[in-house]
Amino acid sequence: MDLSPPRVAIVTGAAQGIGRAIALRLADDHLEVAVNDLASKTDQLQELVSQIQTRGGRSLAVPADVSKEDDVRDMIAMVVHEFGSLDVMVANAGISIIKPLIELSLGDFDKITSVNLRGVMLCYKHAAIQMIQQGRGGRILAMASTSAYSATKFAVRGLTQSTALELSKYDITALELPPNVPVGEPEVIASLVSYLIKPEAYFITGQTIMVNGGMMVD
């Protein structure tokens, strides 16, 4: 009989789509799941929390702007206070502004970068700090894409690889998933995340795993 405490996950950008599907899957896998999105989506987060609780899981809504370091730090502190630890960080939050390069304003670019790159970096950083303090390893994952905002997402690829190298000595893995699936459902990504955070996936780190129905190969 396994008497170890349940693992705890944070899923950012969880109010809808892939993030929501991941949160539900991890809850079904018996993790305690904190769900994050912007404060303007608090109602959606609370509905997701209620759904997880109805299914017998523990969940917590932690609204925050992942592009702000204080928000990320406070989010993780709240989760640790409520659930006792942090074992899995799924940095799923991201935005897309689909415009040709010559029509992309500096404001557009800065907005994309603040969430898709700085937000991921901050989630990686503060999740890693907490996991290292706990001393029992962890899992860090991010989402990427093959869309027009690929500049930020390719940067996430490099960030993930360097993070994986730095954190391997702490038994913390870091992975990236490009989830542009032509006909696949969000549950396709959620099922892969479910596997990658399992103990037996400890030897998979620093990788970009393509989940796109063969639309692009790597």
Side-chain angles (χ1 to χ4, degrees), residues 69-80:
E69 187 159 24
D70 286 347
D71 278 23
V72 175
R73 187 187 292 112
D74 292 347
M75 172 180 71
I76 291 175
M78 184 183 303
V79 172
V80 173

Side-chain angles (χ1 to χ4, degrees), residues 65-73 75-76 89 114 117-128 159:
D65 182 342
V66 297
S67 71
K68 298 178 180 179
E69 187 159 24
D70 286 347
D71 278 23
V72 175
R73 187 187 292 112
M75 172 180 71
I76 291 175
M89 168 61 78
S114 70
L117 182 55
R118 185 167 72 221
V120 171
M121 182 277 290
L122 290 172
C123 288
Y124 277 18
K125 173 185 174 179
H126 290 286
L159 176 64

Side-chain angles (χ1 to χ4, degrees), residues 105-200:
S105 72
L106 186 58
D108 291 336
F109 183 78
D110 288 344
K111 185 176 180 180
I112 295 170
T113 304
S114 70
V115 178
N116 296 0
L117 182 55
R118 185 167 72 221
V120 171
M121 182 277 290
L122 290 172
C123 288
Y124 277 18
K125 173 185 174 179
H126 290 286
I129 290 171
Q130 179 62 34
M131 291 173 185
I132 291 169
Q133 289 175 349
Q134 293 168 182
R136 61 171 186 264
R139 299 285 187 268
I140 297 173
L141 299 92
M143 300 298 149
S145 176
T146 56
S147 70
Y149 63 119
S150 60
T152 56
K153 292 305 186 177
F154 197 81
V156 170
R157 185 173 188 171
L159 176 64
T160 300
Q161 291 172 353
S162 60
T163 298
L165 290 172
E166 290 182 20
L167 299 183
S168 61
K169 62 185 176 182
Y170 302 107
D171 194 27
I172 299 171
T173 65
L175 297 147
E176 178 198 27
L177 302 171
N180 279 27
V181 186
V183 294
E185 298 297 325
E187 288 74 18
V188 174
I189 305 299
S191 64
L192 182 55
V193 172
S194 174
Y195 169 69
L196 290 172
I197 69 166
K198 292 183 185 300
E200 59 264 31

